Amino acid sequence: MRQPLESGHVVIARAAGVVRLPARFLMVLAANPCPCGRHTLLGAGCECPVSVIRRYQARLSGPLLDRVDLRVEVEPVTRSDLLGRGGRGEPTAAVADRVREARDRTAARLADTPWRLNAEVPGHELRTRWQAAPGALAQAERDLERGLLTARGLDRVLRVAWTVADLRGRDRPDALDVAVALELRTGIARGAAQALGTGP
């Protein structure tokens, strides 16, 4: 699983030869925070011992999680949501227009390259050819030094930051775009998502 996630292809070697097959896909994982599913919910009554929670969460390996770009904690549906009295989000058409504009911006930037999407651009290119705004990576560099982020994780944060910048109509990621990408990557709240109006 890790190799195709990284390279976008699968190599099968047999005595008769080697074949390389395309395997670019979008992987979505879902997991409860503990065996009972109530660990992170305030007042929900989780009684799982800490050791059980750690063992349960360790079932997803570190190398696999290192290849996950976005981690989003989903809150339970409330009664008002179920009965239709909750707040309504943006219309789908408005979101689709914003995504289309971001994709156009990405396509224009990558026009003379072999890549079409931010997700396809190698990390080296993002660090050298298309650089973030000066000082934008300061928090990411601190997280890297503290061990909260790996080198692979930094590249993935950069890709997400470029996508956030494209969605905001910016020419390159600034510190806020990187902070949003870090929040989505690490799950550590930094107030950036709320500042952009994308948080809970």
Side-chain angles (χ1 to χ4, degrees):
M1 179 72 80
R2 297 196 308 250
Q3 189 265 336
L5 275 172
E6 195 71 24
S7 64
H9 63 266
V10 173
V11 177
I12 301 174
R14 294 292 182 266
V18 177
V19 63
R20 176 178 162 163
L21 303 170
R24 185 166 292 283
F25 59 94
L26 177 68
M27 183 177 69
V28 178
L29 305 173
N32 284 325
C34 67
C36 78
R38 298 188 298 263
H39 173 58
T40 59
L41 306 179
L42 296 177
C46 172
E47 296 180 1
C48 299
V50 175
S51 60
V52 171
I53 294 171
R54 284 194 186 125
R55 187 165 55 249
Y56 183 81
Q57 293 178 350
R59 293 167 67 183
L60 290 174
S61 71
L64 179 62
L65 288 177
D66 200 28
R67 289 163 172 85
V68 175
D69 295 336
L70 311 177
R71 297 180 192 178
V72 180
E73 187 170 325
V74 180
E75 296 295 329
V77 178
T78 64
R79 184 173 52 187
S80 61
D81 289 332
L82 286 173
L83 299 176
R85 296 196 297 262
R88 297 195 49 88
E90 287 183 84
T92 301
V95 176
D97 287 342
R98 192 164 64 247
V99 170
R100 195 175 302 110
E101 290 171 8
R103 294 288 293 258
D104 291 344
R105 180 179 292 277
T106 304
R109 182 173 62 251
L110 302 177
D112 297 325
T113 73
W115 312 294
R116 297 174 298 115
L117 306 170
N118 291 325
E120 299 172 349
V121 182
H124 174 74
E125 297 289 333
L126 289 175
R127 292 190 303 273
T128 57
R129 186 170 178 179
W130 293 290
Q131 296 183 354
L137 293 176
Q139 182 63 58
E141 290 168 358
R142 283 194 293 274
D143 282 5
L144 188 63
E145 290 171 1
R146 294 167 54 200
L148 295 174
L149 202 61
T150 63
R152 179 184 289 110
L154 177 62
D155 289 348
R156 290 180 175 269
V157 164
L158 274 171
R159 290 186 190 107
V160 173
W162 270 104
T163 299
V164 173
D166 287 335
L167 286 167
R168 292 179 63 207
R170 313 268 306 168
D171 291 332
R172 59 182 174 166
D174 60 16
L176 185 57
D177 300 323
V178 174
V180 169
L182 282 168
E183 272 191 32
L184 292 170
R185 170 96 186 156
T186 64
I188 299 171
R190 301 160 195 264
Q194 286 82 357
L196 287 182
T198 59

